[in-house]
Amino acid sequence: GENVEQHPSTLSVQEGDSAVIKCTYSDSASNYFPWYKQELGKGPQLIIDIRSNVGEKKDQRIAVTLNKTAKHFSLHITETQPEDSAVYFCAASHFGNEKLTFGTGTRLTIIP
Amino acid sequence: DAEITQSPRHKITETGRQVTLACHQTWNHNNMFWYRQDLGHGLRLIHYSYGVQDTNKGEVSDGYSVSRSNTEDLPLTLESAASSQTSVYFCASSVAAYNEQFFGPGTRLTVL
């Protein structure tokens, strides 16, 4: 089955700096890669996703890049703000196996 | 507004007891999922359903069961609770594959 590895497990950045979280996946058939943000005491919430027909997608301060050859994808957050502090999860799935396989999460702390 | 709810939010039970966690969504989504969240493991899929009368096992299904008698509900039952099942449980739903999964607020279960 699919295996998704996520790094780092914890990340602290100064407010205003950029944060990058990286994930690798094992199943070359995977073609859908969402990122979820989980705030304290709440369920995860989708913040951005990318399909394998594109290499990059942006939404304001958030971007995701995908390298299908290397089987890795990354989340980039620019101009970080205190409200970006949360746990972030990457995930992967593919047509015919529509379940999401999640990474182990990254706890991001923004230092004021 | 449409939503997904879980009950109870907190539950303490004893080893060997049967426990049922409720999940209810008002979006009329076909897909529903149960995950458990444990430190160092991220979100792991327990069971999932693609519609009424359809249920499928996830990667950590031993000791758990689900039933889908209508579109709105997917209750999760622990047949004989074990201490290893102490965890936070999340229910999620989606309209179809490759679409956002909407997560409930979670149920924290402690098995003593």
Side-chain angles (χ1 to χ4, degrees):
Chain A
E2 174 68 277
N3 182 51
V4 177
E5 295 189 356
Q6 183 172 346
H7 299 281
S9 58
T10 61
L11 179 62
S12 296
V13 300
Q14 292 286 338
E15 182 178 352
D17 289 349
S18 296
V20 180
I21 303 170
K22 299 181 179 181
C23 289
T24 60
Y25 60 98
S26 61
D27 189 344
S28 57
S30 289
N31 54 11
Y32 175 62
F33 308 94
W35 285 87
Y36 284 80
K37 175 183 180 182
Q38 185 179 25
E39 297 178 342
L40 193 63
K42 296 183 178 180
Q45 184 173 11
L46 180 73
I47 54 172
I48 194 167
D49 58 12
I50 190 168
R51 288 164 172 76
S52 59
N53 57 340
V54 297
E56 185 176 5
K57 183 177 179 180
K58 291 183 179 180
D59 183 3
Q60 299 182 345
R61 297 185 297 108
I62 295 174
V64 57
T65 59
L66 172 64
N67 183 326
K68 290 177 57 180
T69 302
K71 291 191 286 187
H72 68 71
F73 56 111
S74 301
L75 178 70
H76 305 255
I77 305 174
T78 59
E79 301 174 7
T80 53
Q81 301 171 1
E83 54 265 37
D84 295 329
S85 292
V87 178
Y88 291 81
F89 292 96
C90 62
S93 73
H94 66 78
F95 184 77
N97 182 17
E98 298 163 349
K99 310 181 298 289
L100 287 176
T101 300
F102 283 87
T104 51
T106 297
R107 180 174 298 278
L108 174 63
T109 302
I110 307 302
I111 304 168
Chain B
D1 287 343
E3 61 178 355
I4 182 166
T5 58
Q6 293 183 237
S7 61
R9 295 294 313 279
H10 302 271
K11 174 77 174 179
I12 299 174
T13 191
E14 296 177 341
T15 301
R17 290 190 179 264
Q18 184 180 78
V19 176
T20 296
L21 308 183
C23 175
H24 179 80
Q25 52 97 3
T26 59
W27 282 297
N28 203 35
H29 286 167
N30 285 325
N31 301 338
M32 295 186 73
F33 309 85
W34 273 105
Y35 297 90
R36 60 178 289 174
Q37 183 175 27
D38 304 286
L39 194 62
H41 292 279
L43 293 156
R44 293 182 291 175
L45 185 63
I46 305 171
H47 282 286
Y48 59 104
S49 169
Y50 290 145
V52 176
Q53 302 301 330
D54 176 75
T55 60
N56 306 278
K57 294 181 178 180
E59 63 177 301
V60 291
S61 61
D62 287 349
Y64 303 93
S65 63
V66 293
S67 62
R68 187 90 180 270
S69 59
N70 59 53
T71 301
E72 295 80 16
D73 299 289
L74 187 70
L76 177 71
T77 297
L78 286 68
E79 304 294 345
S80 177
S83 58
S84 60
Q85 295 176 309
T86 292
S87 186
V88 180
Y89 292 86
F90 287 98
C91 177
S93 72
S94 69
V95 64
Y98 308 132
N99 284 267
E100 178 176 2
Q101 287 190 18
F102 293 88
F103 282 79
T107 293
R108 182 174 296 275
L109 177 67
T110 302
V111 183
L112 301 176

